[in-house]
Every structure is written in C-alpha cells, then in structure tokens.
Amino acid sequence: MKLRLATLALCAVATTAATSTAFAQQGPKPEDQIRYRQSIMNVMGRQFGMLAGMAKGDVPYNKDAAVKAAGLVDTLSTLPGPLFGPGLDKGAPTKASEKVWSEPEKFKAAYEKMQAEVKKLPAAAGDLATLKAAAGEVGKTCKGCHDDYREKEFRN
Amino acid sequence: MKLRLATLALCAVATTAATSTAFAQQGPKPEDQIRYRQSIMNVMGRQFGMLAGMAKGDVPYNKDAAVKAAGLVDTLSTLPGPLFGPGLDKGAPTKASEKVWSEPEKFKAAYEKMQAEVKKLPAAAGDLATLKAAAGEVGKTCKGCHDDYREKEFRN
C-alpha cells in the first residue's frame, strides 16, 4: 500500500498546483503527461458529446445526466492547461499542433474562451432550452480551438 | 456545427443510460470505448494519486485541491462500469484481464467495493486526518481490483 501510494503520488505531482520543486524534478515523463492530457480531453469530449447530443435531440434529454455531465466537463476543463506547457509538445504521438507551443498566448486565449463558455454549462444544463444555447457556444469554442490547434493525424 | 454535434453525439451514446437501441447500433467502435475506459481510469488514477500523495505527506495538503479531486474521482468512478461490459474485452490493446469478462459478478463486486469507498472521499477530503483514513481505504480497493483484474502488460 505504501509503495502504491508513493507511486501514485509521483504520477500526480507535476500537474498539481502545490507541487514542490523536488517532486517536479521526479515528476512523470512527458509521455505520461501527454497521455494524461489526452485522457482528460477524451473524457471531456465524450461527456460534452452527450450534452451536445441532447441539445441536438439525438440523445433523449435527461436533467440529472445533463447536470452531472456539465459539472464534469466544467471540472475537467480546469485540468489540461499545464499539460500544454513547455516540454510537452513531444514525447508521445499527439495531435496537439506545434502552434500550441509556438504561439502560446494565442492558444491560451482560445483555451480561456472555452473555459469561459464551459463555466456556464452546469447552470444551463438543468433545462433543455438553456442547455441548447450553452452547448452551442461551448461547441464553437471546441471547434475553434481544434481547427487551429489540433492536427488531423497524430504527429511524432 | 451541426455535423460536429452529431458526431459527438454518436460518440457519447453507447455509454449513456438513455441510449436508444438505434443509437447503440450506431455507437462507437469497441476500440473507442476501450480508449474511453482507459481515459477515465487514467484521470481517476491521477486525481486519486494526488489525494494519496497528500495522505502520505508527499504532496502538501491543500483543502480546495483535495475536495475538488475527491469530487472528480467520485463522479468519474460512476462512468466505467458499462465500459467493462460484453464485447469490450478486445478490440484494442488493454490491460483489463479476461477475468473481468469470465467472472463478471466477482468483478462487479470488486468494482462496487471501490465505489462504496470512493463515495466517502468528498466528505473526507476537507480535513487531512479524515482524508488519510479514506484514501487508505480507497487505495486498498484500487489495489485489490488491479491485482485481480489488471494485467501487468497490454494484451491484444
């Protein structure tokens, strides 16, 4: 158990705000961080996909499921920022464009635009009409950022 | 936008409780479901890893970060169940043991044991002493299930 906790702790550290320098130096390899980034984006995409499906009428609207998914997307959206940081442009196959690292300020602005819209999702998800409006705006920010900063194929 | 929403909706459908049969038939491929399962487990593991690190004293305890991570682990723990369902034992490299599918009742019991402990995390995370106790119990259920149902290497 102790060893397991220690291992898990090491894995978690590099993306923790409270990271100490000593731990950051022992932090996970870029390939693990890239995988973590991809995992977060995948879960966000799937959960938002359900909301978008409800908004479009392809998935039956369910208030509880919508509110849960919206909260999850909101929380997850706060995680990947540092995982697009220096040194994480390579180390594993990734669709993240090199432009993320060559124009970080522009990428940050696009990322924050997404977060601003996602923040509105939980309050909007309790009603189909407000969900439709909010999901549409979130979807635009997903698409905008993916158009500019996500490659069609894996690179590296 | 419309096409994007439709695509996202299709991706989300097979794990949605509200799934209609028609949609399930058009649902994501096993490889995408397996990837989704792995993504969820990865994010859960990383977030719980941070909590375990705090419990062990390897990561400085931060109440807000702990409560946020605990809530996220709790919500994420409700998602992978159906992704260990029939037909998702192969289709992509996976560490999930074939025993998940050959002894589903036993696996379900182990899974529910994890969920029962994880449910206690959010309330426990607001204080380091209670977090330590709760994280220890969660960690045991992670380890128990991984020992029995997770291979060391990818199969398939």
Side-chain angles (χ1 to χ4, degrees), chain B residues 91-114:
Chain B
T94 176
K95 287 182 182 171
S97 163
E98 287 171 350
K99 282 167 53 186
V100 170
W101 289 269
S102 66
E103 45 187 59
E105 289 307 317
K106 272 173 121 177
F107 173 72
K108 189 165 174 269
Y111 187 90
E112 286 172 353
K113 214 165 148 185
M114 174 277 287

Side-chain angles (χ1 to χ4, degrees), chain B residues 15-47:
Chain B
T15 50
T16 307
T19 305
S20 73
T21 308
F23 265 99
Q25 285 166 354
Q26 300 168 33
K29 296 177 217 157
E31 67 198 64
D32 293 328
Q33 295 295 73
I34 291 170
R35 186 172 154 249
Y36 185 33
R37 180 173 81 208
Q38 291 165 339
S39 294
I40 297 164
M41 300 301 286
N42 187 20
V43 181
M44 273 178 72
R46 294 290 291 258
Q47 290 289 308

Side-chain angles (χ1 to χ4, degrees), chain A residues 57-140:
Chain A
D58 291 334
V59 178
Y61 176 71
N62 176 294
K63 185 178 169 171
D64 289 345
V67 169
K68 181 180 162 185
L72 191 48
V73 171
D74 184 24
T75 305
L76 289 171
S77 77
T78 65
L79 301 179
L83 297 166
F84 287 104
L88 298 176
D89 53 334
K90 52 192 166 195
T94 176
K95 287 183 182 170
S97 163
E98 287 172 351
K99 281 166 54 184
V100 169
W101 289 270
S102 65
E103 44 188 59
E105 288 308 317
K106 272 172 121 178
F107 173 73
K108 190 166 173 266
Y111 187 89
E112 287 173 353
K113 214 164 148 184
M114 175 276 287
Q115 281 193 294
E117 294 303 330
V118 162
K119 268 195 206 322
K120 301 175 191 167
L121 265 184
D127 175 86
L128 182 55
T130 50
L131 172 62
K132 277 184 187 176
E137 292 306 311
V138 170
K140 280 182 210 168

